Amino acid sequence: MTLQKKLQINIVMSNYNQRSGSYSSSYDYIFLDNLASSSYSNLFRSDLKNLKIKTKNNTECQVLYIPSYGFQPAAILVRVPVGQISQTTKLLLDVHDTSTTFISTLTGNDVLMFDANSDTYSNFFMNYSGLSISNDSTDGGQFLRARFVPNLDGTSPTDLITTFASGQSLSNNRVTVARFKRIGGNVDVNDNATYHGSTFGNVMMQVDGSLTTYGIDTKGTTCYWADEEKDYCMFNGAKTLVMASSFDAYASGSDEEGNYKQYHRHGRVGTGTSNSSDYLEGFSRNNTGKIYETNYAEIQISPTFYATTDFEDFNYVDLKWLLIFPSPLFATNGIPQITVTERTKTGIRLYKGSHEYTKAYRGSTLMWDAEDDDMEDTGLHIPDKIINKNWDWVF
């Protein structure tokens, strides 16, 4: 195992907002889905498993390696201490030789995932007659097909709904990533749903009017909180849908129905988590609705109406995997700009021979740190008598 290159991941947040005071987790999660498109991709394995991610203080981060699928590239979900996150977050990227294979270290806890290649769907979803597992010619694995099957008496679900996603705190915000082999036609996705309930979250609605009984020739994808819509083909075919949902409480109270909170809401649906992604975004400031629930509910993916203009086959989606994790960073803020560059060394660096002194102290007080480009002037400066004593100063 040989370290080939030291790079840096730069994450710049637009419209940056600090997380709500109600968010108490020590970690946030960042979904990196555009590393393979960087100018250094020739150094990366196709599955990215020769990459290690560290914080600026060189602490290794736990990661989940997400495999590529068809033309959709591999990705990495990384867990980062909140103290290392700001509007201009920087992570260190160690690139090892391509014969190296690292394994995922991020499992369980806040991160939830269903993978059709390896998981039994009945352990993750409510069972209904529209579900089936099929072999996948794309990767030699499997996919889960969820077909719209009408049920007029309401005794069973008519769409895909999870059973493992409830319980995450609303204050933690939620990001849902679903990779499909096929998604098309009329599909709704709700990231905070209950079966036969009234819970309402961030909703993506995709409508193809020509595939309804009404035959209206309109096609559009909308986000419930957004004022615009985009072309239907945004999520047509093999796509990765990313939904970010933020509930940031600004008021609370109680009435005859119990304790409630009122929230600023932010919802976003798109094809990825970088600024190059196609996405829709919406806000609801000072929403007067009273929310009595304190936790997120389930994920609901609803294929509706027909799959073709023959009006014989009901619509369906083919799901490869579903990933759910809390992230105020992505849910509360705008789409980030993510770039990979050479690792920058900021501040002044002091060498004596081959030994490097990266920090300077006066007693127990840290006066400067070569890795910290934001440290204020603490009054420690470089006397000429030190410069002229066979030391090398590099910037």
Side-chain angles (χ1 to χ4, degrees):
M1 182 172 64
T2 304
L3 182 62
Q4 288 187 310
K5 195 81 171 177
K6 291 187 176 184
L7 300 174
Q8 182 169 287
I9 302 172
N10 311 289
I11 305 169
V12 179
M13 305 299 300
S14 61
N15 304 317
Y16 181 72
N17 293 293
Q18 284 283 3
R19 60 188 37 78
S20 166
S22 59
Y23 182 77
S24 58
S25 176
S26 300
Y27 298 94
D28 205 333
Y29 298 86
I30 300 174
F31 187 69
L32 301 170
D33 58 355
N34 68 338
L35 296 181
S37 63
S38 80
S39 58
Y40 300 94
S41 59
N42 62 308
L43 300 174
F44 303 168
R45 288 169 54 107
S46 60
D47 57 10
L48 304 182
K49 289 186 177 180
N50 66 322
L51 306 182
K52 275 188 179 294
I53 298 177
K54 300 178 180 179
T55 63
K56 282 192 65 179
N57 62 6
N58 221 36
T59 300
E60 185 175 337
C61 298
Q62 287 190 315
V63 299
L64 177 65
Y65 296 102
I66 305 293
S68 60
Y69 181 71
F71 294 107
Q72 300 171 87
I76 296 179
L77 179 68
V78 55
R79 190 177 80 164
V80 183
V82 294
Q84 298 290 318
I85 294 174
S86 67
Q87 186 170 2
T88 54
T89 298
K90 299 184 190 308
L91 299 174
L92 306 182
L93 183 65
D94 286 351
V95 183
H96 294 260
D97 58 276
T98 54
S99 62
T100 301
T101 304
F102 297 127
I103 62 173
S104 299
T105 55
L106 183 58
T107 57
N109 299 323
D110 290 332
V111 178
L112 307 173
M113 186 171 184
F114 163 77
D115 185 346
N117 282 353
S118 56
D119 294 323
T120 303
Y121 71 82
S122 59
N123 294 333
F124 294 85
F125 301 97
M126 292 182 65
N127 195 19
Y128 78 104
S129 58
L131 292 184
S132 62
I133 284 284
S134 300
N135 293 326
D136 188 353
S137 59
T138 301
D139 66 353
Q142 296 179 316
F143 60 81
L144 174 63
R145 174 161 293 180
R147 183 181 294 276
F148 175 55
V149 180
N151 181 262
L152 299 180
D153 61 10
T155 57
S156 66
T158 60
D159 42 52
L160 187 67
I161 186 166
T162 61
T163 57
F164 70 107
S166 292
Q168 292 180 321
S169 172
L170 280 180
S171 64
N172 285 356
N173 307 155
R174 169 177 273 185
V175 177
T176 303
V177 185
R179 179 159 287 182
F180 296 93
K181 177 178 174 66
R182 178 196 186 273
I183 179 173
N186 299 291
V187 181
D188 297 348
V189 183
N190 184 355
D191 67 359
N192 185 27
T194 55
Y195 178 54
H196 284 323
S198 58
T199 302
F200 193 67
N202 188 30
V203 178
M204 182 273 286
M205 292 172 283
Q206 182 167 276
V207 178
D208 182 350
S210 66
L211 299 179
T212 70
T213 54
Y214 316 110
I216 302 171
D217 190 19
T218 59
K219 298 179 181 181
T221 299
T222 63
C223 175
Y224 179 75
W225 294 334
D227 295 327
E228 61 177 328
E229 66 179 37
K230 289 194 173 182
D231 288 344
Y232 145 89
C233 62
M234 179 177 172
F235 298 108
N236 190 30
K239 288 289 184 180
T240 299
L241 169 66
V242 179
M243 302 182 69
S245 185
S246 173
F247 286 74
D248 192 15
Y250 72 90
S252 62
S254 60
D255 56 21
E256 63 277 3
E257 295 185 46
N259 296 328
Y260 66 83
K261 288 185 178 180
Q262 293 169 303
Y263 293 90
H264 306 298
R265 298 181 183 180
H266 175 207
R268 183 172 63 242
V269 300
T271 58
T273 60
S274 66
N275 62 326
S276 61
S277 303
D278 195 5
Y279 65 96
L280 287 161
E281 197 162 16
F283 299 87
S284 179
R285 304 293 189 193
N286 299 322
N287 189 286
T288 57
K290 298 177 180 178
I291 306 296
Y292 297 89
E293 297 83 4
T294 58
N295 296 319
Y296 280 103
E298 301 294 339
I299 308 298
Q300 184 177 27
I301 303 172
S302 307
T304 61
F305 297 117
Y306 298 95
T308 70
T309 54
D310 294 331
F311 303 127
E312 293 179 352
D313 295 325
F314 284 112
N315 192 25
Y316 63 94
V317 297
D318 292 335
L319 179 68
K320 283 300 297 182
W321 50 258
L322 180 68
L323 176 66
I324 306 160
F325 57 92
S327 178
L329 181 73
F330 275 102
T332 306
N333 296 290
I335 287 281
Q337 180 178 351
I338 301 174
T339 57
V340 177
T341 62
E342 296 283 342
R343 188 173 300 183
T344 59
K345 294 184 176 182
T346 57
I348 197 165
R349 309 184 75 83
L350 174 63
Y351 289 84
K352 178 66 173 179
S354 62
H355 187 77
E356 178 182 3
Y357 297 84
T358 60
K359 294 179 172 64
Y361 291 86
R362 177 175 290 159
S364 60
T365 303
L366 178 65
M367 304 304 291
W368 58 263
D369 181 346
E371 298 290 354
D372 194 339
D373 54 0
D374 298 321
M375 184 170 284
E376 297 179 357
D377 185 348
T378 54
L380 183 66
H381 300 279
I382 307 167
D384 288 339
K385 63 182 180 181
I386 294 179
I387 296 176
N388 297 327
K389 288 291 184 180
N390 196 31
W391 296 85
D392 295 320
W393 295 90
V394 295
F395 294 84

